[in-house]
Amino acid sequence: MAVTLTDIQREIHRLSEELIQRQEPDGTWRFCFENGITLDACTIILLRTLNADQEELIRQLHDRILAAQEPEGCWRWYRDDGEGHLSATVEAYYALLFSGFSRPEDEALQRAKRYILERGGIGQAKSLLTKAILAATGQRAWPSSLSLIPIEILLLPESFPLNFYDFSGYSRVHLVPLLIMAERNFRARTARTPDLSELFSSDRDPDEEGLLRSPESREALDQIQSALAHLVGTPRRIRQAAIHKAERYLLDRIESDGTLYTYASCTVLMVFALLALGYEAQHPVIQRAVEGLSNMKFTVDGSDLGESGYGYITIQNSPSTVWDTALISYALQEGGTVATHPAIRRSAAYLRDRQHHRAGDWQIHNPGVLPGGWGFSETNTFVPDVDDTTAALRALAALHTDDHATLDAWNRGLNWVWSMQNHDGGWPAFEKNTDKVMLTWLAIEGAKSAATDPSEADLTGRTLEYLGNFAKLGIRHDWVARGADWLLSHQQEDGSWYGRWGICYIYGTWAALTGLMAVGMPADHPAVIKGADWLGSIQNADGGWGESCRSDQARRFVPLRASTPSQTAWALDALIAVHDQPTPELERGAARLIELLHEDGWPASYPTGAGLPGYFYTHYHSYRYIWPLLALAHYVNKYGDGAP
């Protein structure tokens, strides 16, 4: 269909009105941060192991998992997830059985069982979280890769060339409980624990064994062992000191809601680790953790789901309230909602209250800087990240010049973002200069993507976009120019950029192009032309854009063969930033985006958020509002009758 400015303005108005109506009285927007069935399954397994009185929640999570099973008997992370996902299927099967609401002879479990056995049994599940849950509940041995990382690594001073704080923050909070449990060879079985032994042909993992024998893995482990040789004391005393430090590490990072780092995944592991240390199931710390985990549930209304049509309860890994609130407030303002509107004022007050004032682990690599960032979740008080901080600052931009409280928040936030720039010129997610490649060689599944927190194109591009469009800084400033140079040096041969936290090359290319244009890169720069041409080359026949989650494993663009609202909006927004006048591809993209917003097929719920390649993907329920509104607003602001 042909699209007119009137069509686009009508859609902006519709989206804006719906979002304003959905705002909560406290100024927030609360959408589901959906992460497949893994956390639902892990929560059931934990609650049953603790004999927790949570029958209603267990039943709700059971029903959600069961409804997501595919006809082949498997579970998938996303629609085109090959022949299914073995780790997710193992987790689902185990949780359904452990819940007590499904029986081994049920047809659904029989199909799942056949699927698992046909793929070599439970021992072939690759996810470290899956292996850990199975080991913690006595179903398999602890992975040998964990036993080769001594828990004494926690005792190494931060001044050592290789130490525990060289791991990324999000890997540390998962690694510590794993090291505690592996050291204790912990196994928690109850009278209700199912016996999965018939589903094991072997718990040998040939891939893990190959990694353990690799020269790179051996070099990393040798470096750790060499550093540990400097510790003074008897082996027994050193081991006890390390275990005590590991325990303190966990306890010191529990938020007010009882969760560890506000992540459900590491909270589950923490509870098992505390049990391994001798804590009783009724201990207040464990009870608060369970309560916090339970409060991470989200009730998805069936009326919002299009073709799937049923409502369900799911456990979010980390509720996205701050992220969604900041982005929606910003998108509304770009769409014409004035900063004095009550919805914007309420969201600004909420965001100011959520700015961090507590010290955090990020200061280890960035000392002497005052807290000033924002985190992803409402209860997050000391784990800020660059992307959430720039999102909050965009939302506050129109208010910071005439409101003292907002100006103070703005200045502290901008200073924090500036301070987080890596030595190489790019920006990380959580911690500065946490990029020692050696740690990615460890024989731990996911280490390549999770062990470090390096500069990324999406984070660097988004930061530059904020600095250029909102802080009015450009490549004439040395540190901004260094960020732009980092992006230029990390462009792929085909013109795209890889995005770490979204899917994937569309996401990274959008962030890079909008960032470069915002800080003053000319539209005729070869890198800009190449990036825009690449986006044009992958546009679908229907005018939209879509990319498969498989891209992050293949490390190349894999087309989805369908258009999604968020990816279409990202591509459209990038091209708007580059082109002075609407092009045919832009007009087709805008028309298709509007169509997508009125369709309820599977592309509307396809996950376009990335967590861990191959193992963790996110469907942000907010994304079909945020990014389309933003792209359409930018279209009108640039090409409309009243545009400058």
Side-chain angles (χ1 to χ4, degrees):
M1 75 173 190
V3 67
T4 67
L5 281 172
T6 300
D7 296 328
I8 296 175
Q9 289 166 333
R10 184 183 302 114
E11 197 63 22
I12 290 170
H13 178 75
R14 185 189 69 81
L15 288 169
S16 298
E17 285 298 306
E18 183 171 349
L19 285 170
I20 290 171
Q21 290 299 315
R22 293 185 67 151
Q23 189 182 35
E24 301 290 337
D26 64 357
T28 63
W29 281 273
R30 298 175 186 270
F31 285 88
C32 187
F33 177 65
E34 187 172 346
N35 320 114
I37 55 87
T38 284
L39 297 170
D40 304 332
C42 290
T43 300
I44 289 175
I45 294 165
L46 176 65
L47 293 176
R48 281 292 185 237
T49 302
L50 294 171
N51 291 312
D53 183 19
Q54 295 260 12
E55 289 305 303
E56 182 179 3
L57 178 59
I58 291 171
R59 182 58 192 251
Q60 291 168 333
L61 297 177
H62 164 277
D63 293 350
R64 183 272 195 279
I65 294 170
L66 190 60
Q69 187 180 28
E70 301 288 347
E72 306 94 320
C74 66
W75 279 259
R76 289 185 169 91
W77 269 104
Y78 48 90
R79 184 183 177 92
D80 55 330
D81 191 7
E83 296 180 353
H85 200 284
L86 180 58
S87 291
T89 303
V90 168
E91 293 160 355
Y93 177 86
Y94 190 15
L96 292 175
L97 204 54
F98 211 160
S99 75
F101 295 111
S102 285
R103 299 172 299 175
E105 61 270 21
D106 290 348
E107 188 268 340
L109 266 63
Q110 286 294 310
R111 282 190 290 125
K113 181 179 178 180
R114 286 194 298 271
Y115 175 89
I116 293 168
L117 290 173
E118 287 169 0
R119 280 148 187 81
I122 287 179
Q124 297 304 306
K126 306 298 184 188
S127 165
L128 182 58
L129 180 60
T130 309
K131 295 176 184 178
I133 293 297
L134 291 169
T137 54
Q139 302 290 351
R140 59 158 288 160
W142 280 95
S144 53
S145 56
L146 287 175
S147 65
L148 293 176
I149 303 177
I151 198 168
E152 288 86 351
I153 192 175
L154 273 80
L155 299 178
L156 293 176
E158 294 150 23
S159 59
F160 268 48
L162 189 66
N163 64 80
F164 180 62
Y165 284 93
D166 288 327
F167 286 93
S168 68
Y170 45 87
S171 65
R172 290 196 303 269
V173 292
H174 291 85
L175 186 58
V176 168
L178 292 175
L179 292 179
I180 290 172
M181 289 187 281
E183 191 279 333
R184 293 292 170 96
N185 195 26
F186 174 68
R187 296 162 179 264
R189 294 186 68 96
T190 74
R192 300 183 67 167
T193 304
D195 180 3
L196 303 182
S197 58
E198 64 176 341
L199 293 183
F200 280 90
S201 56
S202 167
D203 61 7
R204 287 180 60 254
D205 184 341
D207 293 338
E208 181 181 73
E209 291 175 3
L211 283 170
L212 288 168
R213 291 193 297 269
S214 71
E216 294 85 0
S217 180
R218 292 307 319 172
E219 182 178 346
L221 292 170
D222 288 346
Q223 286 279 350
I224 293 173
Q225 291 292 347
S226 175
L228 292 176
H230 292 83
L231 297 177
V232 178
T234 65
R236 179 178 176 82
R237 289 178 65 88
I238 293 173
R239 174 61 57 98
Q240 289 175 334
I243 293 171
H244 176 71
K245 186 162 186 178
E247 180 183 3
R248 286 296 344 152
Y249 178 90
L250 297 179
L251 297 177
D252 290 345
R253 285 157 182 80
I254 296 174
E255 286 282 11
S256 61
D257 65 350
T259 65
L260 176 62
Y261 249 51
T262 70
Y263 298 154
S265 53
C266 60
T267 300
V268 169
L269 296 177
M270 176 187 72
V271 172
F272 279 121
L274 294 177
L275 293 174
L277 291 171
Y279 285 59
E280 297 292 334
Q282 299 304 314
H283 191 285
V285 173
I286 290 180
Q287 290 298 301
R288 284 179 55 237
V290 169
E291 182 180 359
L293 192 63
S294 301
N295 288 336
M296 286 186 172
K297 69 181 180 183
F298 195 99
T299 303
V300 179
D301 185 346
S303 64
D304 291 338
L305 298 174
E307 68 174 18
S308 58
Y310 63 91
Y312 53 88
I313 300 286
T314 189
I315 298 292
Q316 305 168 100
N317 191 42
S318 190
S320 54
T321 310
V322 174
W323 175 246
D324 287 336
T325 299
L327 289 176
I328 290 171
S329 177
Y330 157 55
L332 284 170
Q333 292 177 71
E334 293 293 287
T337 304
V338 296
T340 54
H341 191 287
I344 304 303
R345 291 286 186 181
R346 284 194 296 267
S347 64
Y350 172 84
L351 290 170
R352 285 196 305 268
D353 287 345
R354 291 301 177 276
Q355 189 173 28
H356 289 188
H357 297 270
R358 291 179 61 190
D361 288 346
W362 60 271
Q363 291 174 311
I364 291 168
H365 297 290
N366 191 13
V369 175
L370 291 175
W374 278 262
F376 186 72
S377 296
E378 187 166 66
T379 56
N380 183 331
T381 62
F382 59 90
V383 190
D385 67 89
V386 171
D387 226 4
D388 275 287
T389 300
T390 61
L393 290 169
R394 287 184 191 89
L396 297 174
L399 299 169
H400 85 278
T401 56
D402 59 0
D403 178 83
H404 179 75
T406 305
L407 178 61
D408 178 67
W410 172 275
N411 288 334
R412 289 197 298 117
L414 175 57
N415 182 65
W416 188 83
V417 170
W418 168 76
S419 77
M420 288 294 290
Q421 187 176 30
N422 282 332
H423 291 328
D424 62 12
W427 271 267
F430 298 98
E431 295 184 7
K432 183 176 180 178
N433 298 323
T434 313
D435 57 358
K436 290 191 176 176
V437 176
M438 184 178 294
L439 295 178
T440 69
W441 298 344
L442 291 170
I444 297 176
E445 189 67 31
K448 187 173 182 180
S449 299
T452 60
D453 186 9
S455 298
E456 299 288 0
D458 48 335
L459 296 164
T460 303
R462 297 287 293 146
T463 302
L464 292 180
E465 191 277 337
Y466 156 70
L467 293 173
N469 286 337
F470 295 89
K472 306 306 178 185
L473 301 171
I475 51 177
R476 66 188 181 279
H477 300 91
D478 176 68
W479 58 287
V480 177
R482 289 176 56 233
D485 288 342
W486 186 92
L487 275 179
L488 294 176
S489 68
H490 285 79
Q491 188 176 27
Q492 304 291 314
E493 186 64 31
D494 62 6
S496 66
W497 279 267
Y498 172 77
R500 167 67 176 85
W501 299 98
I503 305 297
C504 191
Y505 290 92
I506 293 176
Y507 186 69
T509 304
W510 160 69
L513 288 177
T514 54
L516 289 171
M517 295 301 295
V519 296
M521 192 68 66
D524 61 357
H525 189 283
V528 174
I529 294 172
K530 196 172 184 181
D533 286 348
W534 178 79
L535 284 173
S537 73
I538 64 163
Q539 188 174 21
N540 290 334
D542 66 4
W545 281 264
E547 180 175 0
S548 171
C549 292
R550 290 183 291 144
S551 288
D552 66 354
Q553 292 173 272
R555 296 300 297 221
R556 60 177 175 80
F557 174 74
V558 178
L560 182 60
R561 312 296 182 192
S563 299
T564 70
S566 55
Q567 291 167 333
T568 297
W570 292 332
L572 185 64
D573 197 41
L575 294 174
I576 292 168
V578 171
H579 295 298
D580 287 334
Q581 297 294 328
T583 65
E585 63 186 0
L586 270 170
E587 292 175 340
R588 290 173 55 233
R592 181 61 184 133
L593 180 57
I594 291 174
E595 290 177 343
L596 286 168
L597 296 178
H598 296 272
E599 295 174 1
D600 292 321
W602 64 265
S605 58
Y606 189 82
T608 57
L612 185 63
Y615 296 103
F616 197 88
Y617 299 93
T618 297
H619 166 40
Y620 288 86
H621 288 225
S622 61
Y623 274 18
R624 70 175 295 165
Y625 298 93
I626 294 168
W627 306 117
L629 174 56
L630 197 65
L632 295 174
H634 288 164
Y635 190 106
V636 170
N637 294 343
K638 189 165 187 176
Y639 306 132
D641 295 336

